[in-house]
Amino acid sequence: MPGHAKTALVLQGGGSLGAYELGVARRLYRDDGFAPVTVAGVSIGAITAVLLARPAQGLKPLQALEAFWEQVTVSGWYVPPLFQPFASIFGNRNFYMPRTDVYDFASWTYLYETAPLRKTLGNLVDTAALADRQARPKLLVSATDLEAGEITYFASDQKSLSIDHVIASGSLPPSFDMTRVGRRQYWDGGLFDNTPLGAVLDTFDRDDGAVPEVIVVNLFPNKAPVPKTMPEVFERMLNLQYANRTRGDLRLLDRFNDVAALIHELELLPKDHPLRESAAFRKVADQDYMMVPKVVNITRPQEAGTFDGSDFSAEAIARRAEEGFQCADRALG
């Protein structure tokens, strides 16, 4: 159940679709008892994660997240209602703004500056706690290493994190520039893996033998009707690119459940039992197997449209947040 000592929260990326995660958080944090051991996210999910895990002093997790969405809402009062969903194309003053160096357009590799986002997060995140490897809950964000072509996971208990790591996780091309962290350049983690479940399992302590629970918030549903038009084809491609791909991983992990159970029983043998000294036993035991977690999926029911991820209008954010709350309420019972 939420609040259990072995609960983790995993948040997908998806631009303004992340307002759905706000609604889920409203349901999870409705009672003060929800306290996950790990919060992980990609892209907008990384922003959600850092606000929930490292809110600025004086703010509770949900308060920090609410403040973020209030600030990045594009009112669009100057735009006719029909075009308000597209108003953020011209910029979002607390998130991103169009580049102005048009004289050098031929050398552009991105369209928007993210300095506003850095300032917004700087005001809403406890950067000292973000850099503290002892701070809890554990925080995990991911980004794609451009040169290596690999996903990189930044875990708060392994290294000191900064706003740079969060920005890197959401550096989606061609909208945003690559982000340098140390000597490496990174793009959005969702390009490689939009649901970092496997990395989250590695953050759990395995000493108590308890089966962990992972709450996964999916912004892109796996299932959808077969497309019948070209726009539907593009939408289906978009959703499949970022949908949750962990089902196959979980099926594989299920095969290790019996191994984990066997190792647990063998560990109960007397310390002087010959089997405990067996090289084969020690090799398997040292793998530190754990039981496959209980996964609670909270998933947006409809596919994301091509421009849905850039709709920061007040109407869209309110609707998605309410949808997230209702879906979470049903999933959690």
Side-chain angles (χ1 to χ4, degrees):
M1 60 178 293
H4 189 277
K6 299 279 281 189
T7 298
L9 178 61
V10 179
L11 303 152
Q12 282 192 341
S16 63
L17 295 174
Y20 180 89
E21 297 171 343
L22 168 62
V24 173
R26 285 173 177 170
R27 172 59 179 83
L28 291 173
Y29 288 85
R30 182 173 63 182
D31 302 317
D32 292 335
F34 183 70
V37 296
T38 300
V39 184
V42 182
S43 197
I44 193 67
I47 292 173
T48 303
V50 74
L51 292 167
L52 293 176
R54 303 289 185 270
Q57 293 187 23
L59 293 178
K60 293 182 178 180
L62 187 56
Q63 289 176 324
L65 187 59
E66 295 276 11
F68 172 79
W69 282 102
E70 288 175 7
Q71 293 181 35
V72 300
T73 298
V74 178
S75 64
W77 60 266
Y78 51 89
V79 179
L82 182 64
F83 298 100
Q84 286 187 7
F86 308 101
S88 62
I89 292 176
F90 303 102
N92 184 322
R93 62 188 182 90
N94 290 313
F95 201 142
Y96 56 85
M97 291 299 290
R99 294 181 64 173
T100 57
D101 53 332
V102 293
Y103 60 88
D104 199 25
F105 181 77
S107 65
W108 281 17
T109 57
Y110 64 98
L111 302 174
Y112 298 95
E113 301 284 0
T114 55
L117 174 61
R118 187 178 297 276
K119 181 178 179 181
T120 299
L121 292 180
N123 292 330
L124 295 175
V125 171
D126 186 339
T127 54
L130 183 57
D132 184 359
R133 292 173 57 183
Q134 303 302 315
R136 295 295 182 269
K138 296 177 184 177
L139 175 66
L140 184 144
V141 300
S142 64
T144 300
D145 185 317
L146 267 71
E147 293 181 82
E150 297 176 347
I151 196 73
T152 299
Y153 298 105
F154 302 113
S156 65
D157 61 331
Q158 299 297 317
K159 65 183 305 179
S160 294
L161 302 186
S162 68
I163 297 296
D164 285 341
H165 295 90
V166 181
I167 300 292
S169 183
S171 296
L172 181 66
S175 294
F176 307 134
D177 191 13
M178 63 191 78
T179 299
R180 177 181 292 275
V181 178
R183 297 182 178 181
R184 312 297 292 181
Q185 298 278 9
Y186 295 94
W187 269 344
D188 192 297
L191 294 173
F192 205 94
D193 179 10
N194 207 29
T195 317
L197 178 59
V200 168
L201 298 184
D202 290 335
T203 69
F204 283 116
D205 295 324
R206 294 166 165 80
D207 54 358
D208 61 3
V211 178
E213 175 183 75
V214 183
I215 300 172
V216 181
V217 184
N218 300 299
L219 302 182
F220 300 89
N222 289 77
K223 296 181 179 180
V226 175
K228 295 181 174 60
T229 66
M230 191 58 71
E232 289 179 357
V233 166
F234 283 108
E235 288 186 4
R236 189 68 181 129
M237 290 171 58
L238 170 70
N239 283 267
L240 289 175
Q241 179 181 358
Y242 294 110
N244 190 333
R245 299 186 179 92
T246 61
R247 191 168 301 173
D249 294 336
L250 289 173
R251 283 197 295 267
L252 178 61
L253 288 171
D254 274 330
R255 299 173 62 182
F256 296 115
N257 262 356
D258 291 340
V259 176
L262 176 60
I263 293 298
H264 177 69
E265 293 298 322
L266 293 176
E267 290 283 9
L268 299 178
L269 292 173
K271 292 185 177 181
D272 59 350
H273 194 284
L275 182 59
R276 295 177 67 93
E277 301 303 319
S278 164
F281 170 75
R282 290 274 30 112
K283 183 176 181 179
V284 176
D286 289 343
Q287 295 299 313
D288 204 18
Y289 286 103
M290 67 182 295
M291 299 298 289
V292 176
K294 172 186 176 183
V295 177
V296 179
N297 282 295
I298 303 174
T299 306
R300 289 184 66 248
Q302 74 275 3
E303 285 196 301
T306 305
F307 298 103
D308 284 353
S310 58
D311 183 358
F312 285 87
S313 66
E315 187 277 333
I317 289 174
R319 170 168 42 83
R320 291 165 182 166
E322 177 60 22
E323 184 179 47
F325 182 93
Q326 296 299 333
C327 289
D329 199 46
R330 289 192 293 271
L332 299 172

